[in-house]
Amino acid sequence: MGGAPRGATESVEAVVIARQDHGEADRVVRWLCAERGRGAGIARGARRANSRFGAALEPTQHVRLLLRRRGGGLDVIEDAELLDPHTRTRDDLDRLALAAHATELIAGLAREEQPEPRLFGLLQTALLLIDASSAAPGDAMRLGLEAKALTFAGLLAPLDRCARCGEAAELGRAWAVHPHTGAAGHPGCVGSDGECTGAFALALEGARRRPLRETLDLPAPEGPHWVLCGVIEAHIGRALRARSMLAPTPIVQPTAAIR
Ligand SMILES: [Zn+2]
């Protein structure tokens, strides 16, 4: 995959990230796939009532796309097949909000036209777990997902070791995670207020290292639950929209200085 010449068709397994109306009846659709990271294409006639695309091109859907590559412009989506309908997610606002958040944050961290097998695999796993678990997963799973996504994007240093002095975090001792860089350590070392204890860092580090499925039953650790979300927002330079459906009030305010 990946090297299809201009004009050739290519079959790609993808997750739909977003869509927007285009022209009279078309849609521009954005997706994430393993082979080429983020991509975009046009789905002709997708807004017509009897469109052959049906509901396949909705955000968070796991699909197989038949693409016609066009050098320099948008690909053309010739066909789209729903691979997994995620029916429980469609019927449950809590699951849907978390699925939207997972899709948005992972897509935000993925690159365009670059292979992103780890981020794509993480998103696939997250969407499967959100749909298959007995109830909508809670904050421990979300934090584990955010930590893994940042790790796969190469953006998160260990949280349980001070970024400055190298000492390990201790359970009851004050600890800080910088809300924009994710640098962790003693408050005096990393120049941030002690907003949590070492227990939070150790719990997050544990969630990052274990399979996502094993975070489903973990209790949410005490601490700044949205700090990693803030690090992601700082990196991509904008607020994550689906987060407002998960948190009634934002806990970390993105600042104008974010870049
Ligand atoms: Zn230190």
Side-chain angles (χ1 to χ4, degrees), residues 162 165 186 189:
C162 180
C165 74
H186 304 109
C189 284

Side-chain angles (χ1 to χ4, degrees), residues 4-250:
R6 180 177 172 174
T9 53
E10 182 183 359
S11 167
V12 173
E13 187 181 339
V15 171
V16 176
I17 301 167
R19 58 165 172 74
Q20 67 192 89
D21 292 349
H22 181 85
E24 289 282 296
D26 303 342
R27 276 207 172 113
V28 170
V29 177
R30 299 181 193 285
W31 65 79
L32 178 70
C33 67
E35 297 84 0
R36 292 200 278 131
R38 269 189 298 143
I42 188 158
R44 298 223 163 94
R47 276 149 62 211
R48 294 204 180 99
N50 57 352
S51 157
R52 68 185 180 284
F53 299 112
L57 297 179
E58 298 297 316
T60 79
Q61 296 284 37
H62 181 200
V63 292
R64 178 166 293 287
L65 302 175
L66 186 64
L67 302 175
R68 186 172 297 281
R69 308 276 324 251
R70 294 195 306 183
L74 292 168
D75 292 345
V76 176
I77 303 174
E78 301 274 2
D79 201 7
E81 176 196 353
L82 203 52
L83 292 179
D84 183 340
H86 293 149
T87 43
R88 288 212 269 187
T89 302
R90 304 278 135 207
D91 290 342
D92 179 340
L93 273 181
D94 291 334
R95 287 181 212 258
L96 197 56
L98 187 56
H101 180 67
T103 303
E104 188 182 13
L105 79 92
I106 289 174
L109 293 171
R111 298 161 300 173
E112 269 179 55
E113 294 293 330
Q114 303 274 340
E116 290 286 15
R118 296 181 85 196
L119 285 172
F120 180 70
L122 179 64
L123 179 55
Q124 263 188 309
T125 303
L127 294 175
L128 270 174
L129 288 175
I130 291 166
D131 195 64
S133 60
S134 55
D139 272 355
M141 187 268 201
R142 179 182 55 75
L143 279 162
L145 176 71
E146 291 167 353
K148 282 172 185 292
L150 280 165
T151 305
F152 293 167
L155 295 170
L156 193 62
L159 295 162
D160 58 352
R161 202 156 276 284
C162 180
R164 180 153 188 152
C165 74
E167 268 182 37
E170 295 168 57
L171 278 179
R173 194 166 168 199
W175 200 252
V177 182
H178 192 281
H180 294 161
T181 65
H186 304 109
C189 284
V190 297
S192 184
D193 295 337
E195 49 192 282
C196 60
T197 68
F200 182 72
L202 291 163
L204 236 55
E205 204 48 51
R208 158 153 73 170
R209 287 178 196 161
R210 70 184 64 193
L212 197 60
R213 152 177 316 114
E214 292 178 18
T215 64
L216 289 174
D217 301 322
L218 293 179
E222 293 247 340
H225 280 187
W226 293 93
V227 69
L228 296 182
C229 205
V231 175
I232 294 167
E233 290 177 334
H235 178 74
I236 64 179
R238 60 177 167 77
L240 293 168
R241 286 168 300 169
R243 155 187 174 159
S244 63
M245 296 189 283
L246 294 164
T249 50

